[in-house]
Amino acid sequence: MFEHLVAPTGPYAEIRVVPSTGSTNADLVAAAPTTPDRTVLIAEAQSAGQGRRGRSWVSSGGGLYLSVLLRPDVPPARLPWITLLTGLALVRATARAGVTATLKWPNDLLIGDAKAAGVLAETTNDAVVVGIGLNTAPLPPGVQPGAGGLPPTSLAEAGARVTDRFAVAEVLLTELAALESEWRAAHGLPGALLAEYREHSATIGRDVRVELTGRELLGTAEDVLEDGTLVVRDREGASHTVSAGDVVHLRVR
């Protein structure tokens, strides 16, 4: 299925599928010193999937769990955009599966007000490993809400036309390669990708609580800037730029 995506005709050096592993991200991080640029690892199941801030990611069979190792020659300060453009790839792939999705800053994929996918990037020397966990099949009973109380959902539960994980992976990797190539060619500047991100943002314009280390920020999310940071205006009218933190969408009053 993935042959056309692999060199010499495709954008990826290798796409490998394994029945199960602890974490695709951990595997590629460990192998990074000898792994070529644009290597993909897909697992049919994970036993130790991780989300942001060390949270576990439910990785039961039927979901899509993959990681991509990238070596973009861009200034380090621009690397955070990798996770935002990965979120855009998820939005595009989800649309092609027949479901409209949005992004909670920086890269959680929302269908309605429920989370269907998350992205985790880890940097190791000159490489970035970006991991994607996307719920494709119906979720098993008992899956708990995520950070901020976000309920989980899946493509199947949202009525997607396409839920086969490998078919979804093919589209997702195609979109990711296109977006990442455009961004890499611009030396890490988002260009038109910023407007596309803003268009699909579920966070801009929302009242939010941003959970920061040791404190929280309450206010209204106003914009996402060229460097990928979130602008939040607090209840006193002061503007804050957030580069990292958990964003919780507050209910409309």
Side-chain angles (χ1 to χ4, degrees):
M1 170 173 283
F2 302 116
E3 290 83 0
H4 66 291
L5 291 176
V6 178
T9 57
Y12 294 100
E14 179 186 11
I15 299 177
R16 184 160 56 97
V17 181
V18 298
S20 65
T21 189
S23 162
T24 56
N25 255 38
D27 290 351
L28 282 186
V29 167
T34 58
T35 299
D37 182 25
R38 292 175 171 164
T39 293
V40 180
L41 177 62
I42 301 174
E44 297 185 51
Q46 292 186 128
S47 59
Q50 287 194 344
R52 296 179 64 248
R53 298 194 173 187
R55 299 187 184 95
S56 63
W57 175 268
V58 176
S59 304
S60 58
L64 174 59
Y65 320 111
L66 68 83
S67 296
V68 184
L69 184 142
L70 301 166
R71 299 184 189 279
D73 184 17
V74 304
R78 297 174 184 171
L79 289 177
W81 249 97
I82 288 179
T83 60
L84 277 71
L85 65 86
T86 302
L88 283 178
L90 280 164
V91 168
R92 289 183 178 186
T94 302
R96 290 179 60 181
V99 174
T100 299
T102 57
L103 293 168
K104 180 174 76 68
W105 184 88
N107 47 50
D108 283 344
L109 186 80
L110 302 185
I111 299 174
D113 287 322
K115 180 177 175 177
V119 176
L120 174 67
E122 299 179 78
T123 303
T124 172
N125 296 324
D126 65 336
V128 177
V129 176
V130 57
I132 301 168
L134 171 62
N135 299 326
T136 52
L139 296 173
V143 179
Q144 297 300 307
L150 270 180
T153 190
S154 69
L155 295 184
E157 292 171 358
R161 294 190 305 267
V162 180
T163 59
D164 177 83
R165 57 183 151 186
F166 294 123
V168 173
E170 181 181 15
V171 175
L172 175 59
L173 289 171
T174 300
E175 296 291 356
L176 179 60
L179 287 161
E180 198 268 341
S181 294
E182 179 182 342
W183 170 81
R184 189 182 293 207
H187 305 291
L189 293 173
L193 301 183
L194 178 56
E196 184 177 352
Y197 184 91
R198 287 168 171 161
E199 176 187 351
H200 295 294
S201 173
T203 300
I204 295 174
R206 290 284 296 264
D207 286 344
V208 297
R209 182 177 74 248
V210 185
E211 297 175 352
L212 306 166
T213 303
R215 66 186 183 92
E216 65 178 28
L217 170 65
L218 292 171
T220 301
E222 293 195 323
D223 199 5
V224 173
L225 303 181
E226 188 175 69
D227 62 0
T229 55
L230 179 69
V231 178
V232 178
R233 186 170 299 279
D234 68 21
R235 302 289 172 79
E236 286 71 43
S239 184
H240 304 261
T241 301
V242 178
S243 59
D246 282 333
V247 170
V248 178
H249 290 173
L250 302 180
R251 295 186 182 277
V252 178
R253 293 189 296 268

